[in-house]
Amino acid sequence: MLFSLHFSLPPAITPLPFKPLSHVPHHHHTLNMLPSPPVLKSPLCSTMEHFTLNHHGKEEGLDGGVEVDQTLPLGLRRETMPRHVAVIMDGNRRWARSRDLPVRSGYEAGVRSLRTIVELCCKWGIKALSVFAFSSDNWFRPKVEVELLMSLFERGMQEDTGIFFRENIRISVIGDLVKLPQALQELILNLEETTKNNTHFQLIVAVSYSGQYDVVQACQRLALKAKHGHIEPSDIDISLIEQELETNCSEFPRPDLLIRTGGEFRISNFMLWQLAYTELFFAQSLWPDFGEAEFLKALLAFQQRQRRYGC
Amino acid sequence: MERLTGRLVQMYGNIVSFLRKCIFYILSVGLIPNHIAFIMDGNRRYTKRLNLMQGAGHKVGYSALMSMLKYCYELGVRYVTIYAFSIDNFKRSPEEVQSLMDLMLDKIEELLREESIVNRYGIRVYFSGNLKLLNEPVRLAAERVMLATAKNSKAVLSICVAYTSTNEIVHAVRESCEEKWDEITLLNSSGGYVPDESDHLIKVTDIEKHMYMAFAPDPDIIIRTSGETRLSNFLLWQSANCYLYSPSVLWPEIGFRQFLWAILNFQRIRFYFDRKRKQL
């Protein structure tokens, strides 16, 4: 896909050239090239009827707060924004350890980071964000830590319920939820039910999830259908499996971009099937340090990629 | 004069080979990956960049492949998998697809020769993928090679043709369902128990045993050249915990340097990974 050559407004700065997986450990440097856009932080729940790509950060007067021009940071193009971004939020514990803080502080800082990224996604027109909150493999961590994480999930969901409603955010939780504490399960089901008609943005939280688990559970459902005679085993194809994957709760089940923080170069059993054509971006910084600058860097890199899908 | 040049070239080759073996000897103090997979991306861009004839990039890519296989097997890597042709690649122009098929047929037949790399290193060859999608000459050649190398046991080369991971999983699921279907039918007819709703008919192990890649362990490293960082529907299931390395060189340009870097990083990461696991 050729990038749009008809782009009339030249960016004031050239985006950083993307260095694919440079193995020389490069130190996290802040993207200080951006002038701070003189735009009012627009309320997230405003109806964004049309978007104007406005490089000079013009702001429109808030006319009763109904329609506000959304602006993207310099360099980002609206037409090639990923619709669905997935994140592996790695590095919370290392972050805490490097500051001589307890592990709990690391996770709490991670939650704050997540809130920032959700806000940015809403602002920049990304429709869905999937986060790998808790892997099937994480059940093997020390019991104390697992309980801490469960209580953090519960607290996070309770505290942010108001925000989800205000910002028109739909929450979906995917994973093997039967392993979670009962109270948390109920909270999740309730939250999913009450936010299911929200349309502005979808946050998909993967808890007790793994890519292999997702494919296996899809297959089990198909096997059951075959057993009851609804389908023949020979009917099973790619689309039937995709319908049964847990990501079918989203309009965009396949992420366009996967970001993994923390410097590791692996998928760690996150959404395997759905990542078939996803662009992968490995960030060196730890998750609590992953803010607007780093996210922008990842999106700019994504927009420079040429996606051929085998052609 | 020419004989002297020839001798010098040969001597140079021998010295390089000796040095390489020394480096591999040192590397084998650390962990050697058991399985390396390659996504050979960048052949067309190489052709374009050097203004070569159509298809030349793939031919140079083939010799790059032979070098990489040599390094792998010399180091002691037991399994090597290459992404030769994806099902998605059938979407390319018919001329391009045909020329790739012709090249593949040519190279597959070369594998059968006495002096080929498979005999030198005792390699067993597998062709993984939906081989029914291939034209008959290529499919027959592939089957001949698989048969001819079936007794080799020192190492394994897995060539993914007409392959995508999603197709592999669909195929495995279908086979698992059909197997269970037959089992249940048999049990029912003989008055055996009927499994109830809560029974998990299909398990991970059922699916895994029907995968095209079932003969190999999961890869330790996946190397994709040309700087693209995506899996493109390659070994999705098997890459759950695999180290992904994405050098910016185009496939025909890949060499010893990138190979060495991949191994060193693999060893460093594995060391950290194992230490982290021990800490838990």
Side-chain angles (χ1 to χ4, degrees), chain B residues 133-153:
Chain B
L133 297 173
L134 297 170
N135 63 37
E136 205 171 316
V138 178
R139 196 179 64 245
L140 289 175
E143 281 166 11
R144 271 206 311 274
V145 172
M146 286 199 277
L147 206 60
T149 58
K151 291 209 169 56
N152 294 350
S153 56

Side-chain angles (χ1 to χ4, degrees), chain B residues 23-36 71-78 220-221 259 263 266-267 270:
Chain B
I23 293 175
F24 284 165
Y25 183 73
I26 297 168
L27 277 181
S28 36
V29 170
L31 194 65
I32 298 295
N34 194 25
H35 181 176
I36 300 182
Y71 302 151
C72 287
Y73 296 125
E74 269 182 15
L75 180 60
V77 176
R78 237 183 94 74
D220 296 300
I221 313 176
F259 181 73
I263 304 293
F266 165 76
Q267 291 185 333
R270 200 42 168 269

Side-chain angles (χ1 to χ4, degrees), chain B residues 43-44 46-58 60 252:
Chain B
N43 297 300
R44 293 183 298 176
Y46 181 82
T47 304
K48 214 160 144 184
R49 189 192 289 178
L50 293 174
N51 250 329
L52 301 170
M53 267 177 55
Q54 179 99 326
H58 283 100
V60 183

Side-chain angles (χ1 to χ4, degrees), chain A residues 13 22 34 63 145 151 155 163 169 182 186 208 213 231 239 245 268 272 307:
Chain A
I13 42 87
S22 52
L34 292 171
D63 180 20
E145 198 177 319
S151 73
R155 207 180 73 186
I163 302 178
I169 295 176
Q182 192 62 30
E186 283 168 10
S208 180
Y213 151 80
I231 55 166
S239 60
L245 290 172
S268 295
L272 300 173
R307 305 182 81 185

Side-chain angles (χ1 to χ4, degrees), chain A residues 23 220 236 266 277 279, chain B residues 88-89 174 202 230 241 243:
Chain A
H23 281 252
Q220 282 163 358
I236 295 173
R266 66 184 80 238
Y277 301 99
E279 296 291 332
Chain B
D88 295 323
N89 294 152
R174 244 189 240 156
I202 307 280
R230 52 181 181 249
N241 288 300
Y243 165 49

Side-chain angles (χ1 to χ4, degrees), chain B residues 162-184:
Chain B
Y163 174 93
T164 57
S165 219
T166 44
N167 178 267
E168 182 185 31
I169 295 172
V170 165
H171 171 260
V173 170
R174 244 189 240 156
E175 299 266 299
S176 313
C177 281
E178 276 169 7
E179 191 185 55
K180 290 290 163 179
W181 184 274
D182 293 338
E183 240 175 66
I184 290 167

Side-chain angles (χ1 to χ4, degrees), chain B residues 40-209:
Chain B
M40 308 183 289
D41 198 11
N43 297 300
R44 293 183 298 176
R45 270 170 281 171
Y46 181 82
T47 304
K48 214 160 144 184
R49 189 192 289 178
L50 293 174
N51 250 329
L52 301 170
M53 267 177 55
Q54 179 99 326
H58 283 100
K59 296 203 170 86
V60 183
Y62 177 75
S63 32
L65 172 62
M66 288 299 115
S67 304
M68 294 311 281
L69 290 181
K70 188 171 70 179
Y71 302 151
C72 287
Y73 296 125
E74 269 182 15
L75 180 60
V77 176
R78 237 183 94 74
Y79 294 86
V80 179
T81 300
I82 59 175
Y83 201 8
F85 196 87
S86 160
I87 294 179
D88 295 323
N89 294 152
F90 280 116
K91 291 189 283 200
R92 294 184 182 181
S93 71
E95 302 83 45
E96 192 180 335
V97 173
Q98 188 54 46
S99 85
L100 286 170
M101 288 292 145
D102 290 340
L103 177 68
M104 254 198 298
L105 182 61
D106 189 35
K107 297 308 174 191
I108 291 173
E109 285 175 343
E110 246 181 60
L111 289 175
L112 287 166
R113 294 202 206 124
E114 189 67 41
E115 66 279 9
S116 76
I117 195 170
V118 294
N119 289 322
R120 221 182 326 148
Y121 293 103
I123 302 171
R124 182 170 179 176
V125 181
Y126 287 90
F127 283 87
S128 310
N130 192 356
L131 304 186
K132 294 201 272 277
L133 297 173
L134 297 170
N135 63 37
E136 205 171 316
V138 178
R139 196 179 64 245
L140 289 175
E143 281 166 11
R144 271 206 311 274
V145 172
M146 286 199 277
L147 206 60
T149 58
K151 291 209 169 56
N152 294 350
S153 56
K154 292 222 182 79
V156 171
L157 172 63
S158 156
I159 305 176
C160 292
V161 277
Y163 174 93
T164 57
S165 219
T166 44
N167 178 267
E168 182 185 31
I169 295 172
V170 165
H171 171 260
V173 170
R174 244 189 240 156
E175 299 266 299
S176 313
C177 281
E178 276 169 7
E179 191 185 55
K180 290 290 163 179
W181 184 274
D182 293 338
E183 240 175 66
I184 290 167
T185 321
L186 213 64
L187 278 170
N188 280 346
S189 62
S190 64
Y193 92 99
V194 178
D196 67 57
E197 295 293 330
S198 62
D199 259 352
H200 285 163
L201 293 171
I202 307 280
K203 300 189 186 51
V204 179
T205 41
D206 293 320
I207 299 176
E208 283 188 329
K209 79 173 182 232

